[in-house]
Amino acid sequence: MSNRSTSATIIDDLNAIVGSQHVLTDDQQTRFYRQGRRFGEGKILAVVCPGTLLQQWQVLQAAIAADCIVIMQAANTGLTGGSTPYGDDYDRPVIVMSTRRLKGIQVIHDGKQVICLPGATLDNLEQTLKPFNREPHSVIGSSCIGASVLGGVCNNSGGALVRRGPAYTELALYAQVNDQGELKLVNHLGVHLGTTPEEILTRLQQAQYQSADIFDDPNKQASDQRYAHDVTLVDEDSPARFNADPSRLFEASGSAGKVCVFAVRLDTYEKVSSSVFYIGSNDHQDLTAIRRYLLTSLPSLPIAGEYIHRDAYLIGEKYGKDTFMFIEKFGTVNVPKAFALKDKIDGWLEKFSIKGLTDKVLQMITAILPDHLPQRMTQFRDQYEHHLIIRVENDSKSKTQDFLTEYFNVHHSGGFFLCDDDEGRKAFLHRFAVAGAAIRYRDTHRNEVEDIVALDIALRRNDHEWVETLPQQMNEKILHKLYYGHFMCHVFHQDYIVKKGVNPLDMEHQMWALLDSRRAEYPAEHNVGHLYIAKPALANFYQKLDPTNSFNVGIGHTSKLKYWGKTSIKKEKQ
């Protein structure tokens, strides 16, 4: 049978399962799904959007039977191309399975835990937990751009919230292909749902189980239980967290799409009253001293601590203004819809070789709108190079204020103020608007900018020299350097907007060498995707999960070949 007829047969099978309106093959229709938010794109056979967990299983069965590669995709908000194809050198047809339609959050144990289906977003979860006065693992950052709960778990993402650490669970329902090529459903969710895949998935989708069906294994955790301790060890000569940490790789957690996840079970967190302090300084060692004190001497751990360098502040103030104002006006729940609409318009314009028009129009509109940031923040922007936003529980408020007052009475290189509710909210929102500002700058300065080199790095907990100094020959190739990050755990995002004509990958590889010399770990929280090289422990984890190399192949610069290449011929003959 020809490749064309084989592909047609696969498409027919998928149409029969989910309906032809949910099988996308046209380039314009699939554009959003086959391109990464910031990096990567590739060729695919189809995008399939199942509407039930049973359809997800049936699509998976059909794809594996037809010897297709399956890329699981939730919200497609990643920054390293980890849930999209990359290139056109796959040895089998590629199917992207989008789980956006599979929304569902089931609250258990009086709100202390939840079971999330593949399409559940952090924003959905945050809203669901409000009546219980509880919160999900992450309530800032990723929730602003519609990230999925499962995506966070599969990438060990997060850690911005100091007490909670990376997204993690040992309780999941997932499918994997064993080394004989057989598709198996694994129920480690801790809920009795039946015996067959059809029964298990249907009962879970419809929440057809009782409290008595839920069992708690004391040896299985639904969150990272040790991170809050790890982050306080400020004298340790190693990072607090990073994606490839072998101790945080477990089945679905850290799997990066090498298994097909149907549901995860997670702990939730009680809401606490808090206060926000805004700190500025022209000496980075001030922030080091503050970090060490806050992590070791308060009645309770800080809730969050976010760093912004002034250059990042300025770029974010101008090029993240529309994101900031959109969220202020319409809320985070509508951000994914806005991104999808913009992507459609951009795709249509690109047919006429017009790039960046929507970005330029948005910039023109926001430029004439009133200033959106509080006056005291603007004053600190002009006065200080380094900015730190700290949220602490109210039982630590007075001690934090006393410490900062005493510290800056002695060290005159900085200052602070206690935010009111509006200032505190806007300070954190600005920090996360900064994260997308480099993309907007690039897209409105295409004549000057080649691309962005974006790194997320984990520095050693005892590293006092966390401010980067680049060699002059590298500085000359960069228009802007944007430094920001999660300061309490020493995880930094470093976006370099490089000049036209500079090879971004060459620049990135030079950056890696510098990071290696500093004994940093990278990536810290966005996972390897198709951008970074998976270190041996992570690559071995992927191969153990997916021995036939059927899922999300090639991530971490691993093999794209069936059975990982080396044994493909032997396996095919058996």
Side-chain angles (χ1 to χ4, degrees):
M1 189 180 292
S2 68
N3 288 338
R4 178 172 293 182
S5 59
T6 302
S7 297
T9 300
I10 298 168
I11 298 299
D12 287 343
D13 291 342
L14 298 175
N15 286 338
I17 296 168
V18 302
S20 58
Q21 70 272 35
H22 298 302
V23 179
L24 313 177
T25 56
D26 178 76
D27 281 352
Q28 191 65 27
Q29 291 178 317
T30 62
R31 181 180 184 274
F32 180 83
Y33 302 90
R34 56 183 169 80
Q35 292 186 342
R37 176 63 55 89
R38 180 182 280 175
F39 175 84
E41 65 177 293
K43 291 186 177 181
I44 61 172
L45 176 62
V47 175
V48 189
C49 308
T52 66
L53 296 181
L54 183 56
Q55 285 185 358
Q56 182 180 344
W57 171 255
Q58 291 169 336
V59 167
L60 196 56
Q61 285 180 308
I64 298 302
D67 199 21
C68 292
I69 292 166
V70 178
I71 298 176
M72 300 302 303
Q73 185 182 100
N76 193 15
T77 59
L79 301 180
T80 61
S83 60
T84 53
Y86 186 70
D88 58 1
D89 56 342
Y90 294 95
D91 63 343
R92 290 152 286 166
V94 177
I95 292 173
V96 172
M97 189 173 344
S98 170
T99 60
R100 287 172 175 265
R101 297 175 64 210
L102 298 173
K103 300 184 185 300
I105 297 168
Q106 299 168 11
V107 179
I108 62 174
H109 289 339
D110 299 319
K112 293 183 177 63
Q113 288 189 336
V114 290
I115 294 173
C116 293
L117 303 191
T121 66
L122 283 166
D123 188 79
N124 298 150
L125 184 53
E126 188 175 348
Q127 301 307 317
T128 299
L129 290 173
K130 276 186 176 180
F132 298 90
N133 197 39
R134 298 187 73 83
E135 294 177 335
H137 164 267
S138 178
V139 295
I140 53 177
S142 296
S143 57
C144 294
I145 56 173
S148 70
V149 177
L150 265 69
V153 171
C154 291
N155 288 302
N156 278 351
S157 300
L161 298 180
V162 180
R163 306 175 184 185
R164 303 178 191 179
Y168 180 81
T169 186
E170 296 168 358
L171 302 168
L173 175 65
Y174 62 93
Q176 64 184 152
V177 179
N178 64 22
D179 55 6
Q180 276 74 50
E182 300 166 328
L183 182 65
K184 300 290 185 182
L185 186 69
V186 179
N187 183 8
H188 288 169
L189 202 58
V191 184
H192 293 296
L193 293 165
T195 55
T196 68
E198 292 74 16
E199 183 183 11
I200 291 169
L201 295 169
T202 300
R203 287 185 62 190
L204 178 61
Q205 179 99 48
Q206 300 173 2
Q208 292 180 346
Y209 56 87
Q210 307 298 320
S211 296
D213 295 318
I214 302 170
F215 55 97
D216 300 311
D217 184 341
N219 296 315
K220 292 290 184 69
Q221 306 298 331
S223 62
D224 190 323
Q225 298 294 300
R226 62 184 176 85
Y227 177 77
H229 171 260
D230 291 352
V231 76
T232 65
L233 303 179
V234 294
D235 292 313
E236 288 295 306
D237 196 36
S238 61
R241 64 179 176 93
F242 56 98
N243 285 133
D245 181 352
S247 68
R248 291 187 170 100
L249 301 175
F250 186 89
E251 297 181 351
S253 294
S255 61
K258 297 303 286 183
V259 293
C260 175
V261 184
F262 291 85
V264 294
R265 179 174 160 186
L266 296 165
D267 290 330
T268 67
Y269 303 85
E270 185 179 3
K271 280 187 178 180
V272 295
S273 299
S274 61
S275 300
V276 175
F277 292 88
Y278 198 99
I279 300 163
S281 177
N282 288 316
D283 184 347
H284 72 279
Q285 294 295 0
D286 288 342
L287 302 195
T288 297
I290 291 167
R291 169 181 170 268
R292 291 173 67 85
Y293 175 84
L294 296 178
L295 286 174
T296 59
S297 303
L298 294 182
S300 58
L301 267 179
I303 295 169
E306 294 298 310
Y307 169 76
I308 313 175
H309 186 272
R310 178 160 53 197
D311 292 346
Y313 185 116
L314 290 166
I315 294 289
E317 184 177 24
K318 182 174 181 179
Y319 295 94
K321 186 176 180 179
D322 62 319
T323 299
F324 183 104
M325 299 186 83
F326 184 90
I327 293 170
E328 280 277 280
K329 180 73 174 176
F330 301 107
T332 59
V333 69
N334 290 301
V335 172
K337 297 175 186 175
F339 272 119
L341 177 60
K342 180 179 179 299
D343 185 79
K344 275 189 177 179
I345 296 170
D346 287 341
W348 183 79
L349 290 172
E350 284 183 15
K351 288 183 175 180
F352 304 96
S353 299
I354 302 173
K355 284 189 173 184
L357 180 61
T358 56
D359 297 281
K360 289 177 180 177
V361 170
L362 287 169
Q363 280 305 116
M364 290 171 59
I365 293 171
T366 55
I368 62 175
L369 296 175
D371 292 342
H372 60 294
L373 296 177
Q375 185 178 2
R376 289 201 287 182
M377 283 178 59
T378 303
Q379 291 171 346
F380 267 48
R381 175 205 68 192
D382 295 336
Q383 193 171 357
Y384 300 116
E385 179 182 1
H386 305 286
H387 297 243
L388 182 61
I389 312 159
I390 299 292
R391 184 181 293 279
V392 299
E393 192 170 346
N394 279 343
D395 68 354
S396 296
K397 177 181 176 181
S398 61
K399 195 167 183 181
T400 301
Q401 190 162 11
D402 290 346
F403 169 76
L404 292 174
T405 300
E406 293 173 11
Y407 184 88
F408 287 117
N409 280 339
V410 176
H411 302 83
H412 303 297
S413 48
F416 79 98
F417 62 86
L418 176 63
C419 297
D420 61 31
D421 288 346
D422 187 60
E423 289 172 324
R425 179 176 52 79
K426 289 183 175 180
F428 275 99
L429 182 52
H430 176 57
R431 154 62 185 89
F432 290 101
V434 166
I439 300 173
R440 170 58 53 77
Y441 186 97
R442 177 197 64 191
D443 292 344
T444 54
H445 295 78
R446 290 185 179 272
N447 291 333
E448 307 164 31
V449 176
E450 186 66 35
D451 210 340
I452 301 163
V453 172
L455 303 175
D456 61 297
I457 67 169
L459 297 181
R460 292 168 290 123
R461 282 166 280 183
N462 66 351
D463 192 344
H464 288 252
E465 299 305 321
W466 49 270
V467 175
E468 181 178 67
T469 302
L470 292 177
Q472 183 59 30
Q473 64 268 29
M474 293 181 72
N475 269 325
E476 291 172 352
K477 299 175 182 179
I478 299 170
L479 286 169
H480 297 285
K481 295 176 289 188
L482 279 61
Y483 298 114
Y484 54 98
H486 315 305
F487 193 66
M488 294 293 105
C489 55
H490 260 198
V491 166
F492 292 88
H493 300 284
Q494 301 182 172
D495 294 345
Y496 307 91
I497 302 173
V498 299
K499 294 178 181 179
K500 201 73 175 176
V502 175
N503 186 313
L505 285 179
D506 288 347
M507 173 72 75
E508 179 146 3
H509 294 161
Q510 293 176 56
M511 296 288 184
W512 291 354
L514 292 176
L515 294 175
D516 290 339
S517 70
R518 299 172 69 188
R519 291 185 289 140
E521 290 284 353
Y522 54 92
E525 61 182 10
H526 289 151
N527 221 323
V528 290
H530 289 283
L531 190 60
Y532 298 95
I533 297 172
K535 292 186 175 179
L538 185 61
N540 289 338
F541 177 65
Y542 291 158
Q543 192 160 352
K544 182 179 178 182
L545 288 177
D546 183 20
T548 64
N549 206 17
S550 297
F551 292 100
N552 206 7
V553 309
I555 57 167
H557 292 245
T558 58
S559 171
K560 285 188 173 182
L561 302 177
K562 192 172 183 180
Y563 290 107
W564 301 86
K566 291 182 180 179
T567 57
S568 59
I569 297 174
K570 179 182 176 182
K571 291 284 185 180
E572 293 294 345
K573 287 180 178 178
Q574 289 180 355

